Amino acid sequence: MQNLNHTQYFQVVQEPKPEVSEVIEKVYEALSEKGYNPVSQIVGYIMSGDPTYITSHKNARSLIMKVERDELLEEVLKFYIGNKIKS
């Protein structure tokens, strides 16, 4: 029998946050496989926040929603600057 005089507690184990670059890569792949234009769809999602721009194929919609939209934009911009702009 449980002792009702003591507080019961439990810990929630949080999933590790996925790498943004990994999320972009997997979502791009899923969109391509379904025949969508991945760039247009990802831009639509970033601009509107509407997850229906992203297919649920390969869990892409759930995956992209684990990352903030500003983090997606930041990752894309960092990649662009790092590869296109010479110092």
Side-chain angles (χ1 to χ4, degrees):
M1 202 173 200
Q2 287 183 310
N3 185 343
L4 300 177
N5 294 324
H6 296 296
T7 301
Q8 299 291 324
Y9 73 95
F10 65 94
Q11 292 182 325
V12 176
V13 178
Q14 291 187 346
E15 294 179 30
K17 192 170 181 180
E19 288 292 323
V20 178
S21 59
E22 199 174 296
V23 168
I24 293 170
E25 188 175 328
K26 288 180 179 181
V27 169
Y28 185 96
E29 182 181 297
L31 288 164
S32 294
E33 284 181 10
K34 293 303 277 183
Y36 296 109
N37 178 331
V39 173
S40 294
Q41 296 304 112
I42 293 170
V43 167
Y45 172 71
I46 290 172
M47 296 297 291
S48 70
D50 183 354
T52 60
Y53 276 97
I54 308 301
T55 181
S56 58
H57 178 64
K58 289 190 167 180
N59 230 15
R61 187 177 298 156
S62 298
L63 186 59
I64 204 165
M65 290 173 62
K66 291 181 181 181
V67 177
E68 296 294 327
R69 291 180 312 169
D70 63 326
E71 291 177 296
L72 293 168
L73 186 55
E74 185 178 326
E75 183 70 21
V76 171
L77 190 56
K78 278 197 275 187
F79 183 82
Y80 180 84
I81 289 171
N83 289 289
K84 294 290 184 177
I85 298 177
K86 311 251 187 234
S87 304

